[in-house]
Structures are given as C-alpha cells and as structure tokens.
Amino acid sequence: MATLLIKNAAILITMDDHRREIPNGGLLIRDGFIEQVGPTADLPQAADEVLDLSGHLILPGLVNTHHHFYQTLTRAIPATQDANLFNWLKILYPIWARMNPDDIYISTQTALAELALSGCTTASDHLYLFPNGSRLDDEIAAAKEIGVRIQAARGSMSLGESQGGLPPDSVVDSEENILKDSQRLIQKYHDPKPGAFVQIVLAPCSPFSVSGELMKQSAKLAREYDVRLHTHLSETQDEEVFCLQKFGHRPAAYMQEVDWVGQDVWFAHAVYVNPDEVKSFAKHGCGVAHCPTSNMRLASGIAPIREYLAAGVKVSLGVDGSASNDGSHMLAEVRQAMLLARLKEGITGFSRSDPSPKGGGGTDSPLLKGEGAGVRSLMTAREALRLATRGGAAVLGRTDIGSLEPGKCADFFAINLNRLDYAGALHDPVAAVIFCQPVKVDYTVVGGKFVVKEGEVVTLDIDKLVERHNRAAKSLVEEK
Ligand SMILES: [Zn+2]
C-alpha cells in the first residue's frame, strides 16, 4: 500500500460541490487514490513519500475533451495558416495520408507531454485516419509510456469525395472494417472501472465524412458495450449548409435522426446551434467540448457557452487538434474560454441571472472580494476552471476525476506562485493562474505518480522526443 503525502500547499482548490479552497492544504494518497484532503495540520505527518509544496497552488488535474494528437506534426504549415475549416482540411488530408505508425506514436507523446506540462491529467483524443498500417493501438501504447489517462476515440471516415463527402477517397475506410476494428479495440482496451487509464470511445469524424448508416451502427455498437460517442458538430456555417443540402436537416436535427442523442454523447464545437437545439442538448444530456482557440484560429465562430450553462448543458474544454491551435496548453485554453465568453457577452449583451461564486476570499475588503460593479455578468476564472475540471469529468462520464476528494483519483497539478508571471497578482492566486499569462506547471501527478516534477516531464526524454518529432514532421510535410 504505497502512500504519498503532499503538504503545506499555499492553497489547495478542491473543485468539490462546496467549492472548498484550503489554505495550507494537503493530500494523503494511497495506491493512486485520494484518501484524505484538508489542512496539512489535519493530515498524518508521515508517508512512504512526502512532498512539501510550500508556496504552491494545487488544482485538480485538467481534463481535455477534444484533441487530434497527430496534428502536432502539421502545425503552422504556411498554406493552412489563413484557411477556413473546409479549405484547411483539403490541404491537410493528403499530408496526413502519408503518416505511419511511428508518426502516431511520436505525435501522441508530444501532445501528451505538452498537456501534462499545462496541468492536464486526462485527455480524450480523436484519431480518425489510419494510413499505412497505423492503428489506435500505437496511440494507446504511447500514452501508457508517458502516464497520462487517455479516452481514446476511435474515429472514422467512410464518405470519400466520390460519395459526396469532403475527404479524398484515399483516406476513407470501409464501414465494415471500421466497425470490426471498433469492436476489437473496445474488447482489448476499454476499462470501465474507477481509476481507468484507458477507455475507448466511438467517434465517426463528422457529418461530412461518414454516412448516416455508420453513425447509426456506431451508436448501436457503443451502447452494446456501454462506451461513449463523440463527433464534431455544428463547427462552421459550411457544415450547416452541407447538412441541409445532403440530409435536409440542420446538424443537430441530423444527430437525432441517427440516434446520436443521450447522456453518452458529446459533440466537439457546437458553435452554430439555435435556442431549441441548446434546450434539446440539455434535455437529452448531450455534452459539448468547447474549443475556443481552434474556433478563433479557423474563424469558425463563438459557441454560446453561457447559454449552454444557463440551460444546464454539460460543457467541457478541448484544445482541439494541434493544426488548429497550434498547441496543447490546457491552462491557456481555460484562459481563452474565459476571455472569449466575455467578448461574446460584450457583443450580444447576453446576461444571466444566477449569481456566480465569488472570487478572492478570506477578507472583508470589497476590492479583494471581487464585488466591483458589473463583474457578476462575466465568466469568472473559477467558472472557466470548473469547465476544465468538473465539466470535463461530466462530459467524459467519469465520476472518479475532476475534483480533489477522498475516493477520487490522485490527479492534480501544482504551480509555484513565486514567479515573475504572477508578481502583483497574489491577492487571488486562483485567478492569477488564469488571468495572467499561462505558464508551464511545476508538478503533474496522475494516479499518484509524477509525470512532471520540478517543471520537467520525468517519464520521457523530451529533448530526444523533440528531435524525433521534428524529423518526422519534416519528412511528412516535405515529402513529394
Ligand atoms: Zn477536432
């Protein structure tokens, strides 16, 4: 029974239902799970391993609910820098078609190393191309080595250009193969238990790259095995036009027709939705992975996050693929979510009536309590952090992550507050982490094991990885 004691953190943010923030806090961890959370004085003083985190802030591990790890190989390609989604995809499909199993392995480790250094402890990845013998197994093996929890979404594309789809025929697969491989992956890897490091999700790529029949069959298979369903939806106006022309429905209504509604479904983006569709997501329990940086990068639009939250829709955050971000920094994504929600309110004037949790604390000064006029109508740093923790856990259907409470996975990260980036912002350290420029974290722990220690990834040789990654990216993009 291995125990790890974390003590003396300047402040420990639990993200529990009482929104407890514990000064001089700590955790007792046993075999990968949290046994006790509280002030250091209330915890046992000895354990197999003890780490003093004086001067650090501790937060629950961040949950990234939408990514395409392989795209770290195709960041910032000049021809794609200024393209909208459909043109961006058409330039990238032929490059991605040249990837091999090694490329999948290397890019997974690069993305997960970046994520871990930004506080992420669980990531869902959506891999929907399997060229030259690549398999989801390559990604899962790479994730196991670095030690970050993964919700591997077995993506698919079956509707090539000749069938009226967007991708070239060379990158699509037969629906028979897709379903067979999906079943194989669930049987081989899916772990439904609390503390699972690998779970499988079925994830046809988007309405414009698979048939309605594959959507229906994927839903049927996922429900037989009790695994979740994920796809891109309502990302751009082009997609809306495509769906109206091809299926006679808006994207959300098309999802209803192919049985993609329910607690077990989450959509990436969901930018172009009307008020009835927002209500329908709430009624059926469909989740939304909000990807603010990608939506800005591709000029897709601004998702109605405050409207979703007001209606009771589960909302989480995703960095999205690295060819449209072009990074995997979860704290940066939390900041973007907060800022973009504020911009949208400025433009549309949407205002909610429920009071938000207070910033600051521990003082009677109105200034330090965050009670300035007008502040209450904007998304707060704590609300944005909640999307990336509790929101992520809810969208992925996991009750074992997202907060620091007894019985939950020992997944957290810590940041040393004494740094240039936060100088002058320590009146409210939680807000400092989001309002100030995003930093790399000092510690990331997943299931009680260190993935990042003293600011360095300890499970991989990062210098070697970067060298391999750059070589792979060069040969992929420059190959003729
Ligand atoms: Zn995506």
PDB file of all heavy atoms in Angstrom, residues 66 68 232 269 320-321, ligand 1:
ATOM      1  N   HIS A  66     -11.164  17.208 -26.192  1.00  0.00           N
ATOM      2  CA  HIS A  66     -11.123  17.105 -27.662  1.00  0.00           C
ATOM      3  C   HIS A  66      -9.739  17.460 -28.170  1.00  0.00           C
ATOM      4  O   HIS A  66      -9.228  18.538 -27.885  1.00  0.00           O
ATOM      5  CB  HIS A  66     -12.177  18.019 -28.304  1.00  0.00           C
ATOM      6  CG  HIS A  66     -12.280  17.829 -29.791  1.00  0.00           C
ATOM      7  ND1 HIS A  66     -12.731  16.660 -30.369  1.00  0.00           N
ATOM      8  CD2 HIS A  66     -11.952  18.638 -30.833  1.00  0.00           C
ATOM      9  CE1 HIS A  66     -12.705  16.769 -31.683  1.00  0.00           C
ATOM     10  NE2 HIS A  66     -12.227  17.961 -31.999  1.00  0.00           N
ATOM     11  N   HIS A  68      -6.620  16.153 -31.481  1.00  0.00           N
ATOM     12  CA  HIS A  68      -6.135  15.222 -32.514  1.00  0.00           C
ATOM     13  C   HIS A  68      -4.623  15.275 -32.372  1.00  0.00           C
ATOM     14  O   HIS A  68      -3.962  16.130 -32.969  1.00  0.00           O
ATOM     15  CB  HIS A  68      -6.570  15.645 -33.918  1.00  0.00           C
ATOM     16  CG  HIS A  68      -8.036  15.971 -34.016  1.00  0.00           C
ATOM     17  ND1 HIS A  68      -9.018  15.010 -33.999  1.00  0.00           N
ATOM     18  CD2 HIS A  68      -8.681  17.162 -34.088  1.00  0.00           C
ATOM     19  CE1 HIS A  68     -10.203  15.602 -34.068  1.00  0.00           C
ATOM     20  NE2 HIS A  68     -10.038  16.911 -34.114  1.00  0.00           N
ATOM     21  N   HIS A 232     -17.522  15.638 -34.257  1.00  0.00           N
ATOM     22  CA  HIS A 232     -17.563  17.086 -34.482  1.00  0.00           C
ATOM     23  C   HIS A 232     -18.983  17.467 -34.879  1.00  0.00           C
ATOM     24  O   HIS A 232     -19.605  16.761 -35.676  1.00  0.00           O
ATOM     25  CB  HIS A 232     -16.656  17.473 -35.651  1.00  0.00           C
ATOM     26  CG  HIS A 232     -15.192  17.242 -35.401  1.00  0.00           C
ATOM     27  ND1 HIS A 232     -14.542  16.103 -35.804  1.00  0.00           N
ATOM     28  CD2 HIS A 232     -14.260  18.027 -34.819  1.00  0.00           C
ATOM     29  CE1 HIS A 232     -13.260  16.198 -35.468  1.00  0.00           C
ATOM     30  NE2 HIS A 232     -13.055  17.348 -34.870  1.00  0.00           N
ATOM     31  N   HIS A 269     -17.213  21.385 -30.465  1.00  0.00           N
ATOM     32  CA  HIS A 269     -17.529  22.706 -31.026  1.00  0.00           C
ATOM     33  C   HIS A 269     -18.961  23.169 -30.753  1.00  0.00           C
ATOM     34  O   HIS A 269     -19.183  24.025 -29.929  1.00  0.00           O
ATOM     35  CB  HIS A 269     -17.199  22.788 -32.519  1.00  0.00           C
ATOM     36  CG  HIS A 269     -15.781  22.426 -32.816  1.00  0.00           C
ATOM     37  ND1 HIS A 269     -14.733  23.150 -32.317  1.00  0.00           N
ATOM     38  CD2 HIS A 269     -15.233  21.386 -33.507  1.00  0.00           C
ATOM     39  CE1 HIS A 269     -13.584  22.590 -32.699  1.00  0.00           C
ATOM     40  NE2 HIS A 269     -13.854  21.519 -33.408  1.00  0.00           N
ATOM     41  N   ASP A 320      -8.449  21.013 -29.010  1.00  0.00           N
ATOM     42  CA  ASP A 320      -8.612  20.613 -30.404  1.00  0.00           C
ATOM     43  C   ASP A 320      -7.251  20.241 -30.996  1.00  0.00           C
ATOM     44  O   ASP A 320      -6.207  20.405 -30.367  1.00  0.00           O
ATOM     45  CB  ASP A 320      -9.302  21.704 -31.242  1.00  0.00           C
ATOM     46  CG  ASP A 320      -9.960  21.111 -32.503  1.00  0.00           C
ATOM     47  OD1 ASP A 320      -9.894  19.882 -32.707  1.00  0.00           O
ATOM     48  OD2 ASP A 320     -10.540  21.887 -33.294  1.00  0.00           O
ATOM     49  N   GLY A 321      -7.275  19.753 -32.235  1.00  0.00           N
ATOM     50  CA  GLY A 321      -6.043  19.291 -32.880  1.00  0.00           C
ATOM     51  C   GLY A 321      -5.021  20.403 -33.001  1.00  0.00           C
ATOM     52  O   GLY A 321      -5.355  21.584 -33.080  1.00  0.00           O
TER      53      GLY A 321
HETATM   54 ZN    ZN B   1     -11.405  18.466 -33.882  1.00  0.00          ZN
END
